[in-house]
């Protein structure tokens, strides 16, 4: 009973952070989506999606053994963080090369190379490094501090969006400056005040046997985010900037329905790592999947109802998306169930299976969209 109470308390702490971030992120999203034009928002969303995908190459996936170590053997965390830092530095040239290639193929006529690389840097050197700290804190069961960091990062971005709204500068380039400053401040606060303190050591003999699993996890993460994010790039390429803006707004609304599911996934992964017998019954799995699908659909219905009753409540650009949302009613449940099943495979260390399934899903999804 005490174990269940602790689990519930931990879930509520994580969820408080996630819902706090949700409330703040909604304000951020509404400002940026409505101050930028639909074309500008489409370009920004597609470039951010590319940055999010490329950020999975960071450190060649070595955050995976770091998280497992923080969860199971926290006294060794400093040794694994030493490897994480080394591999992160080694991965940066590969990420830069990939970013330059993507810009040349898809963004050369839409945004200058320097501004594009600035967006990529914000996702990789900004939020991804902060996410590394959040992952470590969650592995150490310091859920309150992790929730604080999540809320703080979103709050700083929202303050940047409010400044962007109030000050006279407009356009995509101006927003990238505000966005970059927000990520820089978040990163500074993270490492000065909230990152776990440890003695970082570099012990090479430990890393090679973990690197293969890390790279496999990185490929799995890359395929997951590719199938989840690269549809924005596809729409930008095939349908144009304005359509990409409409699509990005719709997908952002759908992403908001995943907030409670991700909190649950995070708790479940840790439970399975510690106790492999968790969630092995068919009845419990089906019940969980049903709840995830119902909550996801209910969230989407709430957005559809709000925009049907009062179309301009969330701004003119979001009102333009409202007529299309009923066509997407099933998408939140399907996306969130894919994410849930992917987390189950990761927790049970079936990362190769996860990567193969997600790669197949990405190919089918992008082909049908094209």
């Amino acid at each position: 009973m005490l174990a269940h109470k602790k689990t519930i308390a931990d879930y509520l702490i994580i969820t408080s952070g996630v819902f706090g971030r949700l409330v703040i992120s909604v304000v951020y999203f509404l400002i940026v989506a409505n101050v930028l034009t639909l074309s500008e928002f489409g370009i920004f969303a597609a470039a951010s999606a590319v940055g999010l995908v490329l950020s999975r190459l960071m450190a060649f996936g070595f955050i995976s053994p770091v998280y497992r170590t923080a969860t199971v053997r926290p006294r060794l965390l400093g040794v694994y963080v030493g490897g994480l830092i080394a591999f992160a530095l080694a991965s940066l040239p590969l990420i830069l090369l990939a970013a330059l290639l993507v810009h040349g193929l898809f963004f050369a006529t839409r945004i200058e190379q320097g501004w594009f690389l600035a967006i990529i840097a914000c996702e990789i050197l900004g939020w991804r490094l902060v996410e590394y700290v959040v992952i470590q804190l969650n592995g150490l069961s310091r859920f309150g501090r992790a929730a604080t960091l999540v809320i703080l990062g979103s709050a700083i971005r929202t303050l940047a969006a409010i400044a962007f709204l109030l000050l006279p500068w407009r356009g995509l380039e101006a927003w990238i400056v505000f966005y970059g400053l927000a990520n820089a401040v978040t990163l500074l606060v993270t490492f000065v005040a909230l990152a776990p303190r440890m003695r970082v050591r570099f012990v090479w003999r430990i890393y090679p046997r973990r690197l293969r699993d890390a790279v496999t996890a990185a490929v799995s993460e890359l395929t997951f985010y590719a199938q989840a994010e690269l549809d924005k790039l596809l729409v930008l390429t095939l349908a144009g900037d304005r359509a990409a803006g409409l699509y990005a707004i719709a997908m952002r609304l759908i992403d908001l329905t995943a907030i409670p599911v991700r909190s649950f996934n995070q708790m479940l992964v840790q439970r399975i790592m510690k106790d492999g017998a968790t969630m092995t019954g068919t009845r419990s799995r089906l019940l969980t999947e049903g709840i995830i699908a119902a909550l996801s659909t209910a969230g989407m219905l709430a957005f559809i109802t709000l925009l049907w009753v009062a179309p301009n409540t969330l701004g003119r650009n979001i009102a333009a998306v409202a007529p299309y949302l009923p066509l997407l009613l099933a998408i939140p449940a399907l996306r969130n169930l894919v994410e849930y099943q992917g987390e189950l495979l990761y927790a049970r260390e079936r990362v190769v299976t996860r990567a193969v399934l997600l790669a197949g899903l990405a190919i089918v999804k992008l082909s049908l969209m094209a």
Side-chain angles (χ1 to χ4, degrees), residues 66 70 74 77-78 81 84 129-142 145-146 149 189-200:
V66 169
L77 183 58
V81 169
L84 179 68
L129 290 180
V130 174
E131 190 179 22
Y132 279 178
V133 175
V134 172
I135 289 169
Q136 291 174 45
L137 290 170
N138 282 325
L140 294 168
S141 296
R142 299 179 187 175
R145 180 170 285 198
L149 180 51
V189 172
T190 296
F191 285 99
V192 169
L194 293 169
R197 298 293 177 256
M198 68 191 77
R199 188 165 69 90
V200 176

Side-chain angles (χ1 to χ4, degrees), residues 344-366:
L344 284 182
L345 290 169
Y346 169 76
R348 300 190 187 283
E349 300 188 37
R350 297 179 61 186
V351 288
V352 175
T353 302
R354 182 178 188 252
V356 171
L357 289 173
L358 289 171
L361 181 62
I363 292 169
V364 171
K365 177 181 173 181
L366 296 178

Side-chain angles (χ1 to χ4, degrees), residues 9-302:
D10 288 343
Y11 177 75
L12 291 175
I13 291 171
I14 294 173
T15 305
S16 68
V18 174
F19 273 103
R21 181 186 176 191
L22 170 63
V23 173
I24 297 169
S25 294
V26 167
V27 177
Y28 162 82
F29 164 64
L30 293 179
I31 292 173
V32 178
N34 286 297
V35 175
L36 293 177
T37 66
L38 281 172
S39 295
E40 289 170 339
F41 187 75
I43 294 169
F44 176 71
S48 295
V50 171
L52 191 59
V53 173
L54 293 181
S55 73
R56 304 301 122 174
L57 295 173
M58 187 81 154
F60 306 114
F62 204 74
I63 188 61
S64 180
V66 169
Y67 178 57
R68 293 185 186 276
T69 301
T71 301
V72 182
R73 294 178 295 172
R75 283 185 290 185
L76 292 176
L77 183 58
V79 174
Y80 280 81
V81 169
L84 179 68
I85 294 170
F87 290 127
L89 293 173
S91 66
L92 289 179
L94 174 63
I95 294 171
L96 176 60
L97 181 62
L100 291 172
L101 180 62
V102 170
H103 177 268
L105 290 174
F106 301 104
F107 290 91
T109 60
R110 292 183 167 92
I111 182 173
E112 291 182 9
Q113 186 182 90
W115 292 114
F116 176 79
L117 292 179
I119 297 174
I120 301 299
C122 287
E123 301 301 331
I124 293 171
L125 301 179
W127 185 243
R128 183 57 173 161
L129 290 180
V130 174
E131 190 179 22
Y132 279 178
V133 175
V134 172
I135 289 169
Q136 291 174 45
L137 290 170
N138 282 325
L140 294 168
S141 296
R142 299 179 187 175
F143 300 117
R145 180 170 285 198
T148 300
L149 180 51
V150 168
I151 294 173
L152 184 63
S154 296
I156 292 172
R157 287 188 180 192
T158 302
L159 288 174
I162 293 171
F164 180 55
L165 173 66
L166 297 177
L167 293 173
W169 299 293
R170 288 291 178 265
L172 180 57
E173 290 82 4
W175 167 240
I176 293 171
V177 172
F178 283 97
Y179 189 65
L181 290 173
N183 279 278
V185 171
T186 303
L187 193 62
L188 179 63
V189 172
T190 296
F191 285 99
V192 169
L194 293 169
R197 298 293 177 256
M198 68 191 77
R199 188 165 69 90
V200 176
R201 291 170 289 161
F202 185 82
V203 184
W204 173 253
R205 59 184 173 80
I206 292 178
Y207 306 140
R209 67 175 181 268
R210 303 293 182 195
L211 187 57
R212 185 181 67 177
D213 293 337
V215 170
T216 305
V219 172
S220 178
E221 283 287 287
L222 190 67
T223 54
F224 174 79
Y225 280 92
Q227 64 84 27
E229 297 293 337
L230 290 186
D231 47 0
K232 299 181 182 71
L233 181 60
L234 184 68
V235 175
L236 180 75
T237 304
L238 299 183
D241 302 355
R242 188 176 186 278
L246 290 168
Y247 184 78
I249 289 172
M251 290 301 106
R252 180 59 178 160
L253 293 174
I254 289 171
D255 284 342
L256 294 176
T257 69
I259 297 295
V261 176
R262 285 171 182 156
S263 300
F264 172 76
N265 289 345
Q266 185 178 311
M267 292 294 300
L268 184 61
V269 165
Q270 286 191 270
R271 284 290 301 275
I272 292 174
M273 285 180 178
K274 295 175 180 178
D275 179 9
T278 303
M279 292 293 292
T280 54
T282 302
R283 182 178 176 182
S284 62
R285 288 206 303 265
L286 291 175
L287 178 63
T288 302
E289 290 168 14
I291 292 172
I292 289 172
L295 288 175
S296 304
T297 305
M300 190 62 173
L301 279 171

